[in-house]
Amino acid sequence: MASRGNKRASLTNGDENSGVLSRVSRSVSDSQIVRRAKSTASDAAFVTQKLLRSTGRAAWIAGTTFLILVVPLIIEMDREQQFNELEMQQASLLGTPATAAPK
């Protein structure tokens, strides 16, 4: 058991005792290409996050504007149509000639 502990300690001791794989891995992770790729990925994530936030805000504004302005207009137009149909139905029951509703 003690030999295992020593073996692990020797693998993690400084640069002179590190393996080839760890040195290659470290040199690749410290390379200019990897740093630039990480920076580009970070910038892309930041831009995407900002875009999603602003898109969400725009969707919220459009949705609430629709609810406040357009839905009441649709309801009022439907009431008007029902009222005109009711007038035409009453006029036909009373025997007066039905007139076309003004547009």
Side-chain angles (χ1 to χ4, degrees):
M1 280 247 188
S3 64
R4 281 188 180 173
N6 291 338
K7 199 175 204 180
R8 286 184 187 156
S10 68
L11 287 178
T12 58
N13 261 352
D15 285 336
E16 63 275 350
N17 290 335
S18 63
V20 173
L21 186 60
S22 66
R23 278 186 267 156
V24 170
S25 169
R26 190 176 315 118
S27 68
V28 168
S29 66
D30 290 341
S31 73
Q32 179 70 19
I33 295 171
V34 172
R35 276 188 266 141
R36 183 164 289 204
K38 285 180 181 179
S39 174
T40 303
S42 175
D43 292 344
F46 177 74
V47 168
T48 303
Q49 183 181 14
K50 286 287 194 178
L51 181 65
L52 287 175
R53 248 188 223 152
S54 63
T55 302
R57 287 181 185 146
W60 173 258
I61 291 169
T64 54
T65 300
F66 180 79
L67 286 174
I68 292 171
L69 298 176
V70 178
V71 171
L73 178 64
I74 292 171
I75 291 170
E76 187 59 35
M77 288 172 64
D78 186 48
R79 281 186 192 162
E80 179 93 20
Q81 183 182 5
Q82 287 178 355
F83 181 71
N84 288 339
E85 288 174 3
L86 181 64
E87 279 184 338
M88 290 185 70
Q89 185 180 19
Q90 285 178 350
S92 68
L93 288 175
L94 294 174
T96 58
T99 58
K103 290 184 181 181

